[in-house]
Amino acid sequence: FVLPNIIDYCPFKLKINPHYKVASAESDAWFDSFEIHKGAKYTEFHRAKFGLLTAMSYPEASYAHLRNCCDFMSWLFAFDDLTDDGGLRENIEGSKKAAWIMMQALKNPKTFKTEFKVGETLRSFWERACETASEGTQRRFIETTQLYVDAICRQVVNRCRDELPTIENFVKLRRDTSAVKLVFALVEYSLNLDLPDEVFEDPMIQSLEEGANDILTWANDMYSFNVEQSKGDTQNLVVIAMNELGLDVQGAVDYVGNMIRQRIDQYVMKKYRVPSWGEEVDAQVAKYIEGLESWVIGVLHWSFDSERYFGAEHERIKRDRIVTLLPVDTSMLP
């Protein structure tokens, strides 16, 4: 099948944080100290270049903030892997317990200790982040993490029951399972912003956040579809579209591509209707909105600059966008 050219359609500018290599290397050493991955899984995890994604997504962060964001990114994908194809993939009770550990790590970062290594990485990151994050940023990060882990638990239930939601319901769930709300909360942290709650309560800001979330989340589903379908994972927008609309793979990929283009158009139109809160706040809001856009364009590029979704073929696929459907790995089926 052929992927639509979303990168050229997206008007946002790609930038890479100049502290990328040093911060990423130090963060990798920190993450490796927890000994979560070994052997082939260790190699696969690091070939994903999560540090590069962080540098593309938080291009204006200081070294200290970027380093912490790199730590966060390693935790996020380590936890995501556990729920997608690891020990929590179809483990409802285990997922609930893991979710509880994550929230305890955030609510009590100085006192909570756990033998669950992925949970301990989150606690370590958050304890350091709290030293400079504003109270509003801390509250929003904790609230959005709660939404994320709750949604992950619902997704595990869907997998166990082999349930395929409608496109509409899946899109709503995906806004939380994507963890995008968490990474947007870290945009504030990465830029050392301290925005008033009224900004985040504004319908136009909420609409921009939701639009940016949808763009990068739907693109992620499109880019990760091949790997996920090979593992029998049906919790993907391409699979949902195939099921609901009776489309073949190419038809569903094209359908999702058109959804993304329309969402980009809507975002751009709404961007120029953001209200004013005064010169000082407006300057911070502008930085925050640019941070949302850095995340969108960063994910689009990183998906092809990493081996996570397209393996050794990632550079070629970025050029010609032609993907060969992988065979289904029957060992991953329930």
Side-chain angles (χ1 to χ4, degrees):
F1 61 94
V2 181
L3 293 168
N5 190 350
I6 301 301
I7 288 179
D8 286 351
Y9 193 85
C10 186
F12 311 142
K13 183 180 179 181
L14 177 69
K15 295 182 287 185
I16 301 179
N17 194 298
H19 304 297
Y20 155 52
K21 290 187 177 180
V22 176
S24 179
E26 290 195 2
S27 180
D28 285 347
W30 165 84
F31 184 78
D32 290 346
S33 71
F34 291 90
E35 299 183 337
I36 293 172
H37 297 313
K38 296 179 181 178
K41 186 62 181 177
Y42 174 92
T43 303
E44 177 187 345
F45 191 82
H46 284 292
R47 280 181 177 171
K49 299 180 180 178
F50 298 126
L52 177 61
L53 172 60
T54 311
M56 289 175 167
S57 303
Y58 302 110
E60 303 296 336
S62 67
Y63 168 77
H65 284 89
L66 180 69
R67 163 59 211 282
N68 268 0
C69 287
C70 285
D71 292 355
F72 159 79
M73 204 70 71
S74 290
W75 163 75
L76 177 60
F77 280 95
F79 184 64
D80 181 67
D81 285 346
L82 277 175
T83 59
D84 275 352
D85 55 17
L88 301 179
R89 175 183 168 91
E90 295 180 7
N91 185 339
I92 296 174
E93 291 306 313
S95 297
K96 290 180 179 178
K97 183 176 180 180
W100 179 85
I101 290 173
M102 298 308 164
M103 297 313 301
Q104 292 304 308
L106 294 185
K107 293 174 182 177
N108 306 288
K110 292 186 179 296
T111 57
F112 181 73
K113 298 293 181 181
T114 175
E115 294 182 2
F116 184 34
K117 293 179 180 180
V118 175
E120 185 60 20
T121 62
L122 177 63
R123 188 208 62 77
S124 173
F125 146 75
W126 188 238
E127 182 178 16
R128 285 173 281 122
C130 287
E131 294 174 1
T132 56
S134 70
E135 290 185 7
T137 298
Q138 292 182 43
R139 186 180 68 255
R140 279 183 281 276
F141 185 81
I142 292 173
E143 289 173 351
T144 53
T145 302
Q146 185 72 69
L147 292 173
Y148 168 61
V149 297
D150 287 349
I152 287 294
C153 290
R154 290 199 300 275
Q155 181 173 265
V156 171
V157 170
N158 286 346
R159 283 200 183 100
C160 290
R161 297 176 179 172
D162 199 24
E163 291 183 356
L164 286 178
T166 63
I167 293 174
E168 181 181 2
N169 288 338
F170 182 75
V171 163
K172 292 177 181 177
L173 178 65
R174 196 72 178 90
R175 287 169 182 155
D176 289 324
T177 61
S178 65
V180 169
K181 293 178 181 178
L182 284 73
V183 303
F184 286 175
L186 282 192
V187 169
E188 289 183 78
Y189 166 76
S190 73
L191 298 171
N192 208 28
L193 302 179
D194 188 9
L195 287 162
D197 289 344
E198 62 184 290
V199 169
F200 295 99
E201 293 165 359
D202 181 79
M204 194 55 63
I205 294 297
Q206 292 178 353
S207 182
L208 288 178
E209 290 176 331
E210 188 175 278
N213 188 339
D214 287 346
I215 294 165
L216 70 88
T217 299
W218 299 347
N220 176 262
D221 272 22
M222 192 167 58
Y223 298 150
S224 64
F225 160 73
N226 199 22
V227 171
E228 291 181 355
Q229 66 82 28
S230 74
K231 298 175 181 177
D233 191 347
T234 58
Q235 300 303 303
N236 179 290
L237 184 56
V238 175
V239 178
I240 302 297
M242 290 173 67
N243 179 71
E244 182 172 330
L245 303 175
L247 301 170
D248 60 12
V249 171
Q250 187 64 64
V253 168
D254 290 343
Y255 180 85
V256 174
N258 286 331
M259 286 177 63
I260 295 169
R261 291 190 186 95
Q262 291 173 14
R263 210 67 172 104
I264 291 173
D265 292 344
Q266 292 168 358
Y267 178 98
V268 171
M269 291 176 63
K270 292 177 180 178
K271 177 181 174 180
Y272 298 103
R273 292 156 52 190
V274 172
S276 173
W277 291 272
E279 185 176 349
E280 183 177 344
V281 174
D282 288 356
Q284 291 195 66
V285 170
K287 289 182 178 179
Y288 178 71
I289 292 174
E290 186 177 347
L292 304 183
E293 295 168 4
S294 290
W295 250 102
V296 172
I297 195 65
V299 165
L300 296 183
H301 278 276
W302 167 79
S303 298
F304 295 100
D305 295 342
S306 157
E307 294 188 18
R308 184 167 176 84
Y309 304 126
F310 303 113
E313 292 279 280
H314 65 98
E315 292 181 351
R316 178 196 60 76
I317 293 174
K318 189 173 187 178
R319 290 194 303 270
D320 63 28
R321 307 192 311 281
I322 300 173
V323 184
T324 300
L325 203 63
L326 293 169
V328 176
D329 181 358
T330 55
S331 67
M332 297 295 293
L333 298 178

